[in-house]
Amino acid sequence: MKHRSRQTKKIFHFERCEICGEYRECETHHVFGGTARQISDKYGAVASCCRSCHNKIHHRPSEFSWLKAQTQERVMQEQGWSLEEWMDHFYKNYKED
């Protein structure tokens, strides 16, 4: 079930948060934002997370470096990419951090 928040204009959906594991109203977090946001959309480099976890990711990003590494691994596997091919799209190896 999806609905749009009037305040944020984001689409929320009820499912398991990929961060805390709780079944809650979740939103999409672009794991690689900024200039990589569109690439994140294109290759599914997103995480579904509850509002609380989403706020934690944005306010304490160093605590969630594992999410970038995990997402890189998943996208590389899904796309059949080598590290070099990953770097061609996202420009940084997050598995080293």
Side-chain angles (χ1 to χ4, degrees), residues 22 31 40-42 55 65-66 69 72 74 77-78 89:
E22 295 292 322
V31 178
S40 289
D41 275 337
K42 182 176 180 177
N55 287 337
S65 58
W66 61 268
Q72 176 182 341
R74 179 179 54 79
Q77 187 174 23
E78 289 172 354
H89 291 86

Side-chain angles (χ1 to χ4, degrees), residues 7-24:
Q7 292 176 334
T8 62
K9 304 286 189 216
K10 292 183 181 179
I11 295 177
F12 296 95
H13 42 279
F14 291 93
E15 64 182 293
R16 185 173 304 278
C17 174
E18 293 181 39
I19 308 303
C20 69
E22 295 292 322
Y23 187 75
R24 296 184 176 173

